[in-house]
Amino acid sequence: MIDTVSTQIAEGEERIRLEVADGLAVLTLCRPDRLNGWSWESTRQLGLLADRIRFDPEVRAVLLRAEGRAFCAGIDVTAPGGAVSGATAAERTRNYYEGIRWVHERFAVLARLPQPVVAAVQGYCLGFGFELALMADIRVAAEDAVFALPEAQLGVAVDAGGDLRIAREAGAGWAKYLALTGRRVDAATAQSLNLVQLVVPVTELESTARALAAEIAANAPLAVQGIKRAVDAYADAALPAALDRVAMTAALTLTSDDCREGYGAKAQRRPPHFTGG
């Protein structure tokens, strides 16, 4: 894994860029050549930048956006530190478990910001990208947005709680339908399932999402933040215990033979043959 202790982001290694102006913090996924693929380093930077936002008195709302033709196409399998090692299968599973718990903690820094987060989603929003978008308070999607949790097709669990958040927004049946099949849904379907709140033409995504964030930022901060905390306390009451179960399931599947088979089959462009081991 990457150095999880460092509080610095090396020049030229930015996965996410932060800009603050006019009461808005704008977080931009800035690896469009990799379709903003996610990595351990992306997670580390997200946590660092969210911490900076948290105590900035000038920030009243957050806009989460991405450069290029995709919001985030999922895990970047070419990123350094992608695999977790261990001397034994048990140690490797334990290390994955702690790694996923660390990811959950970094993601929680974003999800639990006192300031509301508006996500602007275009193009592919898959796997970790979909899970990241679901952590925003409000989601605006371009008409070309495509959403999916394809992890089961690769032999791994949904590891950042995206299926749990879909269950919260759309119901358990839809969470299972999307997570168990890995099927993709378009922006209109996502809106009908309450997974996005607005769908707009691609050319209007940036202006619409930014205007919405600015509208929230113009309201009374104490009232806005109190409303967010109250709604989250109700909606996420069962989330912490469920996320711990997610972390263990992810650790077991990430160290399984089926995981190696799933990723190998995808690389070779053939159907996987899963054995349950």
Side-chain angles (χ1 to χ4, degrees):
M1 287 175 61
I2 50 88
D3 178 6
T4 58
V5 177
S6 173
T7 58
Q8 303 299 316
I9 299 174
E11 186 175 352
E13 293 301 318
E14 297 91 349
R15 268 63 171 177
I16 308 171
R17 186 173 63 248
L18 171 62
E19 300 166 287
V20 177
D22 301 323
L24 292 184
V26 180
L27 288 170
T28 301
L29 308 186
C30 56
R31 284 291 178 97
D33 57 319
R34 304 298 307 173
L35 299 181
N36 297 310
W38 203 257
S39 64
W40 296 105
E41 177 62 17
S42 302
T43 299
R44 187 184 75 87
Q45 292 185 19
L46 178 69
L48 289 176
L49 297 177
D51 271 339
R52 293 177 190 175
I53 291 168
R54 183 186 187 101
F55 295 106
D56 188 336
E58 300 301 316
V59 176
R60 295 190 173 188
V62 180
L63 175 62
L64 176 64
R65 60 181 296 278
E67 293 179 344
R69 60 190 180 90
F71 179 75
C72 173
I75 293 292
D76 180 359
V77 296
T78 69
V84 173
S85 60
T88 65
E91 183 182 5
R92 189 162 172 255
T93 300
R94 178 264 181 197
N95 289 345
Y96 261 120
Y97 173 65
E98 290 302 328
I100 295 298
R101 290 182 66 229
W102 174 83
V103 169
H104 290 174
E105 291 162 4
R106 303 285 81 71
F107 273 27
V109 176
L110 174 71
R112 296 175 186 168
L113 280 174
Q115 304 95 333
V117 179
V118 176
V121 179
Q122 79 277 10
Y124 293 122
C125 185
L126 311 177
F128 250 95
F130 194 4
E131 298 188 88
L132 177 63
L134 286 165
M135 290 177 204
D137 299 289
I138 299 171
R139 289 163 290 282
V140 181
E143 290 174 336
D144 70 342
V146 178
F147 302 86
L149 294 175
E151 285 87 343
Q153 297 174 343
L154 299 171
V156 296
V158 179
D159 46 11
D163 47 355
L164 307 181
R165 291 181 169 87
I166 293 173
R168 180 189 66 190
E169 304 291 346
W174 278 107
K176 293 173 184 177
Y177 176 79
L178 294 175
L180 295 177
T181 65
R183 289 190 180 187
R184 297 181 178 186
V185 295
D186 59 18
T189 302
Q191 184 180 31
S192 72
L193 296 176
N194 300 320
L195 300 178
V196 301
Q197 282 64 58
L198 296 173
V199 176
V200 298
V202 176
T203 56
E204 297 177 17
L205 176 65
E206 179 77 15
S207 60
T208 301
R210 189 176 289 269
L212 177 58
E215 182 179 348
I216 293 169
N219 290 331
L222 293 179
V224 166
Q225 294 176 20
I227 290 167
K228 172 175 175 172
R229 282 193 298 270
V231 173
D232 285 349
Y234 170 77
D236 296 340
L239 198 58
L243 281 173
D244 189 71
R245 185 180 295 270
V246 164
M248 179 53 69
T249 303
L252 291 171
T253 57
L254 285 164
T255 55
S256 69
D257 291 339
D258 276 352
C259 177
R260 286 190 289 273
E261 167 63 14
Y263 277 97
K266 183 175 179 63
Q268 298 167 23
R269 301 192 176 187
R270 61 172 175 80
H273 177 64
F274 294 127
T275 63

